[in-house]
Amino acid sequence: QKNAVEEAKKQSEQLLLQILPKDIIMRLNRGDTNISFTVQSSTIAFIDIEKFSNYSASLSASEIMQNLGLVFTAYDQLLAKYSLIIKIKLIGDDYMLDAGLFNPDVEPSKHATQVISFTLECLDAIEDLNEQMNSLLQVRIGVNSGGPLIAGVLGSDKPLFDIFGDPITCSHDVILSFLF
């Protein structure tokens, strides 16, 4: 029975790690209820599938979810190589990430370099996925470094970690188009 409880606890912690950043889980486990902080500098990026509505118009709901799953899983696998970057959230066909949130002592150029390297790898991944899915997807990528940002957990039922600030708005507004 003790082993079953330990296994359930491990599974619960793994699920939490898929939803919230590790640093935030540690604060929640300490009993923190109002989690918010300011970050002086980080690098934010959005990767958006261009004209996704047009692409998905001829697909079933299952195919749309399957294809988005392939794209986001490929991004997640690439992201695992970058120690300073975390995925913030998915917004439809947008993939939002940040580097430097939990590394205040790291030079901004280091987190910016990681983000640029990651997004370039995502471009290669889309080319490979296009072959696999027999599609012609294109992505737009917006990147911005700066600060300050406000980060924290919103809500208690289905808590959400999110970030706010001008650098986020700028990175979303400055999305660049890459054509294949």
Side-chain angles (χ1 to χ4, degrees), residues 42-47 95 97-99 108 111-120 140-146 167-176 178:
S42 72
T43 301
I44 301 99
F46 285 89
I47 305 171
Y95 189 96
L97 60 109
D98 188 288
H111 52 72
T113 300
Q114 279 199 11
V115 169
I116 295 300
S117 295
F118 169 74
T119 56
L120 290 173
R140 298 179 297 170
I141 299 173
V143 177
N144 190 34
S145 287
I168 298 158
T169 305
C170 292
S171 65
H172 197 259
D173 291 345
V174 180
I175 291 183
L176 306 173
F178 293 93

Side-chain angles (χ1 to χ4, degrees), residues 55-121:
Y55 165 73
S56 62
S58 63
L59 301 175
S60 69
S62 176
E63 290 169 321
I64 292 168
M65 294 305 285
Q66 180 180 354
N67 290 356
L68 278 177
L70 287 172
V71 171
F72 294 149
T73 296
Y75 293 171
D76 288 346
Q77 289 170 349
L78 291 171
L79 192 71
K81 299 188 306 186
Y82 296 94
S83 62
L84 301 176
I85 305 175
I86 65 165
K87 176 171 67 175
I88 300 297
K89 60 184 169 184
L90 303 173
I91 309 164
D93 61 307
D94 283 6
Y95 189 96
M96 181 183 178
L97 60 109
D98 188 288
L101 278 179
F102 299 104
N103 315 90
D105 298 332
V106 173
E107 287 291 319
S109 62
K110 289 193 189 296
H111 52 72
T113 300
Q114 279 199 11
V115 169
I116 295 300
S117 295
F118 169 74
T119 56
L120 290 173
E121 285 192 59

